[in-house]
Amino acid sequence: SRVVEHFGNFRVLLPAAALTALGAYVFEDAHTVDTGMLSLKSMLLSGAATFSLQLLSQREIPEAGVGHGFNIGKGFSWKRDAFPSGHSTLVWSVAPILAKQYEEQRWVAPTVYTLATLTSLSRVYADKHWASDVFAGAVIGYLGAQVTLNSTPRFSIGVSGDEGLCLVWRF
C-alpha cells in the first residue's frame, strides 16, 4: 500500500511530468514532450476540480473516527479534505494519457490502469479515504484526462528569442 500510494502523490507526479516534458524537449522527442504536457494539463484540470470539491465538502478521513458524513456548515478546516481523493484523482488523470499516447505498446494500458487501481485501493486500505472518495477521484481524473485528450490545441513549450522559455496553454 505504501509503495503504490506514491503514484498518486502530486509531489511525485507533477515534477515527473514536468521533467519528462522538459527532458524530451531538450532531446527533441516531440511525442514524449506531448505526453508530459498532456499529463500536466490533465493533472491541473482534474486537481483543480478535486481541490474545489474538497474545500466544499469538508469530509473527514476514516481514521478520524467521526463517521462518513460531510461537515458542510460545521466550520472550515483544511484537514477535512477526504472527498474526493486527491491521490486517486491524480493517478487517474495520468493513466489514460499514458495508455493513449503509448497504445501501440500493448503492456502500457494494463500496467497504468492496474497501478491507478492499486493506488486508489491503497488509500482505502490505509484508512485515508472512504471507497466513495477514491471512486469520485478516479472519475474526476479519468474525465479530466478525456477532456485533455480531446481538446486542441494542446499545451506547448518553446523558446522565444526575447522572452526565454515560454509555456503556452490554449484551450
Side-chain angles (χ1 to χ4, degrees):
S1 146
R2 290 186 181 136
V3 172
V4 293
E5 89 175 46
H6 295 296
F7 290 107
N9 189 327
F10 76 94
R11 290 180 183 97
V12 173
L13 279 180
L14 282 172
L19 289 172
T20 297
L22 185 60
Y25 179 77
V26 169
F27 291 103
E28 299 178 0
D29 182 351
H31 181 72
T32 306
V33 169
D34 194 39
T35 302
M37 297 306 277
L38 287 169
S39 297
L40 282 171
K41 181 178 179 181
S42 182
M43 283 189 278
L44 290 173
L45 287 172
S46 302
T50 292
F51 183 69
S52 298
L53 286 170
Q54 287 174 336
L55 290 178
L56 292 172
S57 68
Q58 293 286 295
R59 191 175 201 182
E60 293 275 3
I61 62 173
E63 70 181 9
V66 295
H68 64 328
F70 294 89
N71 293 305
I72 300 169
K74 296 182 181 175
F76 177 81
S77 171
W78 287 104
K79 293 182 180 184
R80 292 194 297 245
D81 62 351
F83 182 84
S85 166
H87 282 73
S88 187
T89 297
L90 286 181
V91 74
W92 281 96
S93 70
V94 174
I97 303 291
L98 296 176
K100 179 67 174 170
Q101 288 292 98
Y102 298 101
E103 62 189 342
E104 70 280 355
Q105 304 290 327
R106 299 183 76 194
W107 61 272
V108 172
T111 301
V112 296
Y113 287 123
T114 298
L115 285 173
T117 301
L118 290 174
T119 300
S120 296
L121 293 175
S122 77
R123 304 305 288 163
V124 176
Y125 178 78
D127 218 18
K128 300 296 182 185
H129 289 284
W130 304 97
S132 57
D133 301 338
V134 298
F135 179 75
V139 169
I140 292 168
Y142 183 82
L143 291 175
Q146 295 308 311
V147 166
T148 299
L149 286 168
N150 293 317
S151 66
T152 55
R154 296 179 172 172
F155 254 150
S156 62
I157 190 170
V159 178
S160 168
D162 297 334
E163 299 173 20
L165 187 62
C166 299
L167 177 66
V168 178
W169 185 2
R170 295 184 184 120
F171 281 93

